[in-house]
Amino acid sequence: VRVKESGGGLVHSGDSRTLSCTISGVDFENAAMGWFRHHPGPGREREGVSCITSDDMAYYLDSVKGRFTIDRDNAKSTLILEMNDLKPEDTGLYFCARRATCGESVVRQTLNVLDGWGQGTMVTVSS
């Protein structure tokens, strides 16, 4: 399994950014997929940000609802995260991964990730 995230960068509060993730070696079309982030700083944990099921049901962390949109392009095995109205607290290293489960109650969880982690793409939001 190969995962490649891209699209990160340095932005200002209120800006938008779109992240992409290509993944190979899995049955992407029939997989639940998710975006995760790891905030910088000691003691911070990785958290799920959003996930999307194989039938395109999308779920979001409360703090990003209304600002982030997850989407998938099965033909290109690509996962997208459109981020609007970015805030400094959105700063972090963003990862995508295949998930065993995706739903409202598990969107934040990281234990159900399959295949391990890629390198991630860093998003830094300045105030």
Side-chain angles (χ1 to χ4, degrees):
V1 179
R2 298 187 67 178
V3 180
K4 177 63 176 177
E5 301 94 344
S6 62
L10 175 62
V11 298
H12 295 99
S13 289
D15 284 352
S16 298
R17 198 81 176 183
T18 298
L19 306 182
S20 295
C21 167
T22 57
I23 183 167
S24 60
V26 301
D27 181 8
F28 183 89
E29 183 173 3
N30 293 303
M33 297 294 300
W35 282 100
F36 303 81
R37 66 186 176 192
H38 194 161
H39 296 288
R44 302 299 298 272
E45 296 182 348
R46 195 172 303 191
E47 64 181 356
V49 175
S50 179
C51 66
I52 186 168
T53 67
S54 59
D55 55 358
D56 290 338
M57 294 295 293
Y59 301 90
Y60 300 92
L61 195 64
D62 284 348
S63 61
V64 308
K65 283 181 180 177
R67 300 189 297 119
F68 288 15
T69 301
I70 190 171
D71 200 2
R72 62 192 301 159
D73 184 339
N74 290 334
K76 297 180 180 179
S77 295
T78 298
L79 188 70
I80 303 293
L81 185 68
E82 180 181 333
M83 305 183 295
N84 298 308
D85 190 23
L86 282 161
K87 305 176 185 300
E89 52 264 40
D90 294 318
T91 293
L93 188 59
Y94 282 72
F95 303 86
C96 78
R98 190 166 59 125
R99 301 179 57 121
T101 59
C102 170
E104 188 72 35
S105 63
V106 299
V107 63
R108 190 171 185 270
Q109 293 180 8
T110 61
L111 294 179
N112 58 5
V113 166
L114 306 172
D115 312 314
W117 302 102
Q119 296 296 309
T121 186
M122 187 68 195
V123 176
T124 303
V125 185
S126 64
S127 57

